[in-house]
Amino acid sequence: MVGMGNAPRNGVRATTHLETVYSARVTIPPAFLPLHPPMSTSELVRAGARRFSSRIAPRLLALSLATGVAPLAITSLGAQSADGLPIQAADPRRSPTQKPPLHGRHWMAITGKPLGATAGAMMFQKGGNAVDAAAAMLAATCTMWDTLHCGGETQALIYHPKLKKVIGINALGVAPTGATAEFYQSRGYAHPPEFGPLAAITPGTPGGLMVMLAEYGTLSLAQVLAPAIQLADGFPIEAQLANNIERQKAEIKKWKVSPSIMLPHLGSGGREAPEPGEMFVQKDLAATFRKLVATEAAARKAGKSRKAAIMAAYDRFYKGDIAQELVRGMREDGGLFTMADLANWRVKIEEPICSDYKGISVCKLQQWQQGPAMLQALNILENADLKSMGYNSPRYVHTIYQAISMAFADRDFWYGDPAFAPEEPMRGLMSKEYAKARYAQINWTKNDPDIKPGDPYPYQGGSNPFAQYLAQWSPRNFLPRDATVQSGQQDRVRTDTSAAWQLASRADSARWDAFHGGTTSIEAADSAGWVVSITPSGGWVPAVIAGRTGLGLSQRGQSFVTRPEDGPFNVIEPGKRPRVTLTPTLALKDGAPFLAFAVQGGDTQDQNLLQFFLNMVEFGMTVQQAVEAPNINSYQMRNSFGFHETQPGFMEISSSMPEATRAALRGMGYRLRPLERTSGPINAIWFDRKHRTMWGGSSNHGEDYGIAW
């Protein structure tokens, strides 16, 4: 097997090396480079950055004047992370990747944790298919609290090679009984809170895993859960998770059961979370998994089929003793769950929404999640000649930002659970003519901070039932409030505006962290043609653990709104799914798999996936170059978490972006925030038809990892 290693996630130590990237390969005269063969300057930088900085850079700058070969950019490529590795290159096509691409012929498994990828590899070695492997990775990563837990939600796309079609798996939970807009408003909440039992929706991941496995897998539930059970019995916890638990322990202590699991040194007077490398044991979760396996075994012994036996375990979870304990525990902590909420919930197998971009069919789940916004952005961008603009040029970045802002404005207003009336106008939103009209609205000289949702009804027929709300909509209605608390159940205005409190609140605020924080991604493929892309989430630290089930429950209730003027299709109701950010992707070319890709994060997910896709399709990057490439992220859309704020004109950029580009963007009205890395983390599989192999790309920040054979 071939493994894909990790890259650091530490801060940056800046150095001062200069890189001059030329638009052509230059033969350097011997007087300049007596020891090197003809090479590009970026190759020279990689060969000897120190020598380049001190002796050669001035000569190359003089050479550019003498030869007329114009530099594309001068940037601080020499900026390094704490362990000396370079941060993102300004143009990854001219730089080595920090991780090698992954190659496989028979199968490939990529996810957010090395142990999670190993669980997928174990299924392939047992003869399982990509669905089996993906299900095992899902169980393993949620057991490891990879910014989700097993009471969260699962969203998946599966390519079925026999049917030659993409299938959607909707395993997102719903608001419980009593979770009405009036309920939250009566308690002073503008939105459901970020944490705690009143943020919870019904658990979807267990059901999603079992339905995927029963319908499209080949192995037993016992085989698929075996790695997760071993992990629940105890695994050496990594520093990132252990330290996050310690930071969040005050919130964890609010709940009945969570402290006994998450804080093994409770009351010690010092660190109460596990130490990095300590064995982290989840006995209750292991017991829940073993109950499911025992139910499957009993059903098989009684003569039931593989599928029926797995669904017997499903019924025990949602209708039996596991459900009873889950409801008891949640209500003890102040939650609203009922047995009927769990019994009536169903995993939905559904048709995806797909759109063509230059001959490539890109597929997303339906409008209960934000995926169609990426398709809308592609429809807008198809009207532009992106390649001629140049990779990450000021004009290209501006075009991407404007398209994203338009598509996400539509997301914020028009998207919601299609099971609830009225029907979302997706036919109009996905219309190419609508995209052309939106493209014509782009201001090419400066950012438009007042971009608002469009009206898609003229492009599909019918009348707009929410014309009044659309007329009133303005991004200025959702600007950040300076004196707010954005944690726990204190979703109320705060009068303490001290500098110390504001600094602390920014560190924990959904305004900053939720755009990027959270979840994992899972990509799996096999030589038989099965392909799976999953973006699971929910139940991140500090989750409420429901009784003695061991399950950390989702906090996705906060993605609802409580007023129709804030998004008429996404107002909370019992039994309704919130409009979430979780967005796996499959792309087909000539009817066959071309790319499988997904990313962790919040509102940045489809922003990063859009740019990853364009990096490959428009700029010819390899899959590993594309997952590492620096992106921009917009905050102009409404945050899906916390107070659902917007920050028009705010843009995150890579610290490798040249100063000339930054100056041009500032001149167009953007406020820039440079970050060490801005691309994800993205995981992806590209299908090399010429050689009938698979290429894997796994992010260069975080612990994302891939294994292939």
Side-chain angles (χ1 to χ4, degrees):
M1 286 184 234
V2 179
M4 207 180 252
N6 304 343
R9 202 172 186 170
N10 301 320
V12 186
R13 183 178 69 250
T15 63
T16 57
H17 302 316
L18 293 179
E19 176 203 16
T20 305
V21 181
Y22 283 80
S23 58
R25 295 177 65 87
V26 181
T27 300
I28 309 299
F32 286 91
L33 300 174
L35 300 180
H36 291 278
M39 59 175 63
S40 70
T41 55
S42 56
E43 290 172 320
L44 175 62
V45 171
R46 297 194 295 271
R50 188 178 298 114
R51 181 170 180 262
F52 176 78
S53 176
S54 62
R55 296 174 54 192
I56 300 171
R59 299 183 184 183
L60 285 178
L61 291 173
L63 177 65
S64 72
L65 296 175
T67 61
V69 180
L72 295 177
I74 298 177
T75 184
S76 55
L77 182 65
Q80 298 175 351
S81 59
D83 63 359
L85 289 177
I87 62 171
Q88 288 176 301
D91 188 337
R93 296 171 297 175
R94 296 178 172 87
S95 300
T97 57
Q98 295 179 29
K99 292 169 67 172
L102 186 64
H103 294 280
R105 176 185 175 190
H106 300 286
W107 52 261
M108 189 167 286
I110 308 175
T111 190
K113 297 283 186 184
L115 289 177
T118 302
M122 292 165 69
M123 299 306 107
F124 282 125
Q125 290 180 318
K126 292 178 183 293
N129 68 9
V131 179
D132 299 313
M137 288 191 281
L138 174 60
T141 54
C142 77
T143 300
M144 296 182 71
W145 293 85
D146 189 14
T147 324
L148 74 153
H149 204 247
C150 302
E153 52 271 359
T154 287
Q155 297 67 223
L157 290 171
I158 300 172
Y159 179 77
H160 195 309
K162 295 180 181 179
L163 299 178
K164 298 187 183 304
K165 64 179 294 187
V166 177
I167 296 166
I169 301 293
N170 176 348
L172 175 64
V174 299
T177 299
T180 64
E182 293 76 18
F183 171 84
Y184 289 101
Q185 290 169 352
S186 70
R187 284 157 176 78
Y189 296 118
H191 307 89
E194 290 182 61
F195 304 120
L198 295 182
I201 58 174
T202 55
T205 288
L209 186 155
M210 287 185 272
V211 167
M212 282 193 298
L213 182 64
E215 294 288 342
Y216 308 112
T218 63
L219 300 179
S220 68
L221 184 62
Q223 290 172 303
V224 165
L225 290 184
I229 291 173
Q230 291 181 359
L231 291 167
D233 284 338
F235 70 92
I237 193 169
E238 76 280 7
Q240 180 184 355
L241 173 58
N243 293 336
N244 190 30
I245 293 172
E246 179 68 14
R247 284 193 300 269
Q248 301 280 4
K249 66 182 181 181
E251 193 71 29
I252 291 170
K253 290 177 183 179
K254 294 179 180 180
W255 321 124
K256 300 289 186 182
V257 176
S258 300
S260 65
I261 297 172
M262 307 299 289
L263 302 174
H265 309 297
L266 185 66
S268 65
R271 183 185 178 96
E272 296 177 302
E275 296 179 356
E278 182 178 345
M279 293 297 289
F280 183 51
V281 178
Q282 302 170 81
K283 293 181 180 178
D284 292 343
L285 180 62
T288 293
F289 285 156
R290 287 189 169 100
K291 288 177 182 179
L292 298 177
V293 169
T295 301
E296 178 194 44
R300 290 292 276 164
K301 188 174 181 179
K304 291 188 177 181
S305 67
R306 185 191 75 90
K307 178 178 177 179
I310 294 171
M311 295 312 293
Y314 178 104
D315 286 341
R316 182 173 185 180
F317 185 93
Y318 286 98
K319 299 176 183 179
D321 59 332
I322 299 173
Q324 290 170 352
E325 175 59 15
L326 193 153
V327 169
R328 185 204 66 78
M330 279 300 290
R331 296 189 77 84
E332 183 180 52
D333 269 323
L336 302 174
F337 285 12
T338 68
M339 287 293 291
D341 291 330
L342 300 184
N344 294 334
W345 179 83
R346 294 285 186 277
V347 176
K348 294 186 177 183
I349 300 176
E350 61 187 33
E351 293 288 328
I353 295 178
C354 303
S355 185
D356 180 87
Y357 182 84
K358 299 185 177 181
I360 300 171
S361 178
V362 185
C363 296
K364 291 285 193 175
L365 291 163
Q366 294 182 16
Q367 63 271 20
W368 50 269
Q369 51 84 60
Q370 71 179 8
M374 175 182 159
L375 305 183
Q376 286 191 245
L378 283 173
N379 286 346
I380 294 169
L381 294 169
E382 199 171 29
N383 295 284
D385 186 356
L386 299 177
K387 189 178 297 185
S388 70
M389 294 180 185
Y391 171 71
N392 273 2
S393 68
R395 186 173 179 85
Y396 176 78
V397 169
H398 177 68
T399 304
I400 295 294
Y401 193 100
Q402 298 304 299
I404 287 172
S405 297
M406 290 177 173
F408 276 76
D410 284 340
R411 178 205 72 169
D412 292 340
F413 189 87
W414 296 113
Y415 289 17
D417 187 348
F420 283 68
E423 181 182 359
E424 295 84 357
M426 298 311 295
R427 191 158 49 89
L429 291 171
M430 295 304 302
S431 162
K432 297 286 188 177
E433 292 304 312
Y434 176 72
K436 288 181 181 178
R438 295 291 268 171
Y439 179 77
Q441 297 169 358
I442 292 178
N443 183 327
W444 292 103
T445 62
K446 62 181 180 179
N447 178 55
D448 181 358
D450 295 314
I451 290 174
K452 60 186 292 181
D455 187 349
Y457 284 93
Y459 301 89
Q460 70 169 43
S463 58
N464 183 352
F466 299 117
Q468 178 183 358
Y469 296 136
L470 183 60
Q472 297 170 351
W473 183 279
S474 170
R476 300 179 189 274
N477 296 335
F478 313 114
L479 296 176
R481 290 176 281 176
D482 291 333
T484 54
V485 171
Q486 301 201 52
S487 62
Q489 299 196 52
Q490 307 302 315
D491 190 8
R492 298 176 173 86
V493 174
R494 181 184 174 101
T495 58
D496 180 2
T497 59
S498 67
W501 179 85
Q502 289 184 0
L503 182 63
S505 67
R506 175 171 292 189
D508 296 329
S509 171
R511 183 192 312 173
W512 299 95
D513 293 340
F515 257 67
H516 299 278
T519 198
T520 192
S521 60
I522 296 169
E523 309 302 314
D526 62 42
S527 58
W530 290 95
V531 185
V532 185
S533 180
I534 307 178
T535 313
S537 192
W540 52 78
V541 176
V544 176
I545 294 176
R548 288 298 169 185
T549 65
L551 295 162
L553 292 186
S554 175
Q555 303 96 330
R556 286 285 165 179
Q558 67 182 293
S559 291
F560 281 114
V561 299
T562 60
R563 305 186 311 161
E565 55 265 41
D566 288 346
F569 293 91
N570 192 36
V571 178
I572 191 167
E573 297 181 48
K576 190 174 189 177
R577 288 169 165 82
R579 195 278 300 148
V580 295
T581 56
L582 306 158
T583 175
T585 322
L586 288 181
L588 309 181
K589 193 171 184 178
D590 301 324
F594 172 68
L595 272 174
F597 54 112
V599 64
Q600 67 171 264
D603 297 274
T604 59
Q605 285 187 30
D606 277 300
Q607 300 187 57
N608 281 309
L609 295 178
L610 171 71
Q611 292 167 85
F612 161 82
F613 178 79
L614 295 173
N615 288 342
M616 292 196 68
V617 173
E618 293 287 357
F619 298 106
M621 294 185 194
T622 68
V623 67
Q624 187 61 36
Q625 288 173 334
V627 301
E628 294 187 12
N631 295 333
I632 60 104
N633 286 303
S634 166
Y635 279 60
Q636 186 148 316
M637 69 288 297
R638 295 192 68 191
N639 198 318
S640 297
F641 307 88
F643 278 115
H644 298 232
E645 301 152 322
T646 179
Q647 296 194 72
F650 188 85
M651 181 194 299
E652 289 181 340
I653 61 168
S654 172
S655 53
S656 66
M657 181 175 282
E659 178 54 38
T661 303
R662 300 189 200 192
L665 293 171
R666 285 192 291 265
M668 300 173 83
Y670 292 108
R671 293 175 294 127
L672 307 180
R673 182 193 187 202
L675 295 176
E676 177 186 346
R677 294 184 176 95
T678 56
S679 58
I682 300 170
N683 290 319
I685 300 174
W686 175 64
F687 299 91
D688 184 344
R689 294 191 198 175
K690 179 180 178 180
H691 303 104
R692 297 187 177 183
T693 62
M694 294 171 270
W695 290 52
S698 182
S699 173
N700 61 330
H701 57 118
E703 297 180 306
D704 299 75
Y705 198 88
I707 305 176
W709 188 251

